[in-house]
Amino acid sequence: MKFSFKLLLWTIIVLALALGISGYYFVDYVFQTSMEREMGQAMDESRILGFAFETAALNAPTKYDVLADRTIEEIARNLENKGSRLLRISDEQGQRIYGSNDFKGDSFLLPRTTKEIHTWQVISLGAHYYIHTCMVTDVMDRVLYLETMRDVTGVFQERAMGFLVYRRVTVLMLVLGTFIMHGIASWLTRPIRLLTRATKRMAEGEYGYRARKVSEDELGQLTLDFNQMANTLEENIATLEEELQAREDFVAAFAHELKTPLTAIIGYADMLRSYRLDEEKSFLSANYIYTEGKRLEAMSFRLLEIMVTRHGEPELQMVSVDLLFQYLYDMYATNKTMGFHLKYEEGTVRAEPNLIKSVLINLIDNACKASEPGSVIEINGRMEKGKYRFLVRDHGMGIPKEEQQKITKAFYMVDKSRSRSRNGAGLGLALCGEILTLHGSFLEIESEPGKGTCMSFVLLGGGGL
């Protein structure tokens, strides 16, 4: 069952109960008030009749001091004719002395009535209702029971009419309430329907679909939260798709990188096995096999380093910058093919020294591959607002702007032929990116084609030594 129908159904049930209960109590309250008024009038009339009976009895001529039954009948008949009343008079033993022709009340009240206690009851005689009253009067040594009956059928008819009218009003109110509440329920649940529609559209793969906000209440806030969740979900899906595409590209690039050297190695190995070559050709073939094998070895080591770096948790410590630059000086001081200029400010950085050395070496090697022999490679370090920046600058071919966001991906090479000729596989900068991520940093690239490239990163630093 739809939520709007549940809301409508329960509203109608509550409305019906409220109208029914309130209507019953209202009509019953009016009835009870009318009955109390009628009862009061009946008791007053009974007292008046009693007083009139006593007065008439005292003024009636009698031979003896005892009031005769005949005199009682005459007085009762006169009282009845004056007011068209229904009355009955009984003696001390409850025996009837006089009674109106239509007086059909029972003797229920007689034993319960005394001089101090006047009694009454409501009785039903066919289609009529009466208030039956009883009182004791003491006249001339006679104790008599004076009973009256007051017709209150109209009060009961008014109650029945009140219930009938209220039932009709209740039915009318329920019918009108059903139509009104159906519209209100549809209006209140509209945001839910829009959310349901958005959920179905997203389940069908339309992740860009959003629910329309149509209210400013809690459901409106729910719509905003849903749309925010959808935005996050869409971003996560896009990220997963990018990662999936990156993995597919990685596998494709890895297969391609393996295919070229393996094909050459197999081809030259088969030549050495199948033909008798002279010494020079044999050396060239063996050298090519060795060179390609070393490239495969370097590529496997780089891949292994990337995997280890991704799943590792480095132990960071305060490291002297002087030790890092001294290590670089010792490595490249004897290199005669390129010119290395080292310039740095003393200080300390929070890092894992071996990983940062690997980053610097990869950046320098990448700069060497992008530069012509004899070019200058600048390696600098300086303090910047409590942090330490490392910079590696070359004056080589540079990197186009559209390529700068891609070069940290595995196996991505701006100039593939140039990189392969220098045993590059496009893994060095990918490794640098992974290591710097572990240090809470990232690689910053400034480059212009034909003018060179500057790659830098920042680490948390300390004061000078």
Side-chain angles (χ1 to χ4, degrees):
M1 183 182 293
K2 292 184 177 180
F3 178 74
S4 59
F5 290 155
K6 290 182 179 180
L7 180 61
L8 174 62
L9 177 62
W10 281 106
T11 302
I12 295 303
I13 291 175
V14 172
L15 181 61
L17 290 175
L19 290 174
I21 294 174
S22 62
Y24 171 80
Y25 279 106
F26 175 75
V27 175
D28 186 68
Y29 172 77
V30 173
F31 170 74
Q32 294 295 337
T33 302
S34 299
M35 285 299 297
E36 289 177 1
R37 183 180 65 252
E38 293 291 336
M39 184 272 294
Q41 292 177 358
M43 294 300 293
D44 291 340
E45 186 178 87
S46 177
R47 294 188 187 95
I48 293 172
L49 284 175
F51 178 77
F53 179 83
E54 292 176 357
T55 302
L58 292 174
N59 294 327
T62 179
K63 297 180 179 180
Y64 306 99
D65 293 336
V66 178
L67 188 64
D69 289 348
R70 183 177 181 82
T71 303
I72 294 174
E73 292 179 9
E74 291 178 358
I75 295 173
R77 188 176 293 109
N78 291 331
L79 293 176
E80 179 185 6
N81 293 333
K82 288 181 179 180
S84 300
R85 303 179 182 93
L86 296 177
L87 57 87
R88 181 172 66 185
I89 297 178
S90 303
D91 60 14
E92 295 86 344
Q93 288 74 36
Q95 298 298 320
R96 173 178 172 179
I97 298 176
Y98 176 82
S100 301
N101 294 331
D102 295 331
F103 196 104
K104 298 179 182 180
D106 54 23
S107 301
F108 176 78
L109 298 179
L110 294 182
R112 294 167 174 77
T113 306
T114 64
K115 291 182 179 181
E116 293 79 17
I117 301 175
H118 295 186
T119 58
W120 65 275
Q121 67 174 342
V122 178
I123 60 175
S124 173
L125 298 175
H128 294 271
Y129 293 88
Y130 298 89
I131 295 179
H132 179 196
T133 67
C134 182
M135 64 175 294
V136 174
T137 179
D138 187 357
V139 182
M140 299 179 66
D141 296 330
R142 294 292 301 270
V143 176
L144 303 174
Y145 292 95
L146 175 62
E147 299 174 84
T148 64
M149 289 180 61
R150 181 181 179 84
D151 191 349
V152 291
T153 305
V155 177
F156 282 87
Q157 290 176 345
E158 289 177 0
R159 184 180 68 166
M161 180 60 67
F163 280 128
L164 177 61
V165 171
Y166 208 87
R167 281 195 296 269
R168 292 177 178 176
V169 172
T170 299
V171 172
L172 179 61
M173 292 294 292
L174 289 177
V175 172
L176 293 177
T178 300
F179 286 103
I180 295 173
M181 284 307 304
H182 178 70
I184 294 176
S186 299
W187 175 67
L188 289 177
T189 56
R190 186 185 178 194
I192 299 178
R193 294 197 302 274
L194 294 176
L195 285 174
T196 302
R197 185 185 306 168
T199 303
K200 290 181 179 179
R201 297 282 288 271
M202 292 185 66
E204 294 171 356
E206 194 174 345
Y207 301 113
Y209 188 83
R210 296 293 180 268
R212 184 160 58 93
K213 181 182 176 183
V214 294
S215 64
E216 298 296 334
D217 54 10
E218 291 83 357
L219 291 177
Q221 184 60 44
L222 177 61
T223 302
L224 293 178
D225 295 340
F226 176 85
N227 289 338
Q228 182 62 37
M229 180 195 69
N231 292 334
T232 304
L233 179 62
E234 186 178 16
E235 292 174 0
N236 291 338
I237 292 175
T239 301
L240 291 175
E241 290 177 347
E242 290 178 0
E243 291 181 356
L244 180 61
Q245 186 61 43
R247 290 186 181 184
E248 293 179 353
D249 294 342
F250 177 87
V251 172
F254 182 68
H256 181 75
E257 291 297 327
L258 286 178
K259 178 181 178 181
T260 301
L262 286 176
T263 300
I265 291 172
I266 293 172
Y268 279 102
D270 184 63
M271 185 183 298
L272 289 174
R273 183 189 65 174
S274 303
Y275 299 98
R276 187 179 298 277
L277 304 177
D278 56 34
E279 184 177 352
E280 181 180 359
K281 290 183 179 180
S282 297
F283 175 79
L284 291 175
S285 298
N287 184 65
Y288 196 91
I289 292 174
Y290 174 80
T291 302
E292 292 299 308
K294 292 296 290 183
R295 192 160 77 87
L296 288 176
E297 180 186 41
M299 183 172 63
S300 64
F301 284 158
R302 289 287 175 81
L303 283 173
L304 182 61
E305 287 178 351
I306 291 176
M307 298 305 297
V308 171
T309 301
R310 286 182 177 178
H311 297 88
E313 290 292 336
E315 296 183 3
L316 304 183
Q317 57 186 353
M318 297 308 296
V319 181
S320 172
V321 173
D322 184 66
L323 294 178
L324 297 176
F325 278 92
Q326 186 62 44
Y327 173 79
L328 298 177
Y329 177 80
D330 293 340
M331 282 198 63
Y332 295 101
T334 58
N335 191 314
K336 304 300 182 181
T337 59
M338 307 293 289
F340 295 92
H341 291 177
L342 279 72
K343 181 180 179 182
Y344 64 94
E345 297 176 2
E346 293 187 353
T348 56
V349 293
R350 183 172 177 79
E352 204 291 318
N354 292 325
L355 293 179
I356 295 302
K357 289 176 182 178
S358 179
V359 172
L360 292 171
I361 290 173
N362 277 290
L363 292 181
I364 294 172
D365 288 346
N366 195 70
C368 292
K369 293 172 184 176
S371 304
E372 297 296 333
S375 298
V376 174
I377 305 298
E378 300 176 13
I379 307 168
N380 300 327
R382 62 172 181 263
M383 294 294 299
E384 290 184 357
K385 299 179 180 179
K387 298 181 180 180
Y388 200 93
R389 180 177 294 276
F390 294 86
L391 303 96
V392 177
R393 185 186 302 275
D394 65 68
H395 301 277
M397 60 181 183
I399 305 172
K401 190 172 183 179
E402 62 272 11
E403 305 283 346
Q404 294 178 13
Q405 300 297 324
K406 304 176 183 178
I407 60 175
T408 55
K409 296 182 180 180
F411 295 111
Y412 188 84
M413 292 174 282
V414 178
D415 189 341
K416 299 183 183 295
S417 61
R418 184 184 183 94
S419 298
R420 289 198 182 98
S421 67
R422 302 192 180 188
N423 293 329
L427 294 173
L429 293 180
L431 177 61
C432 292
E434 296 291 341
I435 293 174
L436 292 177
T437 298
L438 294 176
H439 285 76
S441 183
F442 59 94
L443 194 62
E444 300 179 36
I445 303 172
E446 297 178 9
S447 183
E448 187 175 347
K451 295 184 179 181
T453 301
C454 177
M455 295 192 179
S456 64
F457 60 92
V458 173
L459 298 177
L460 290 177
L465 295 175

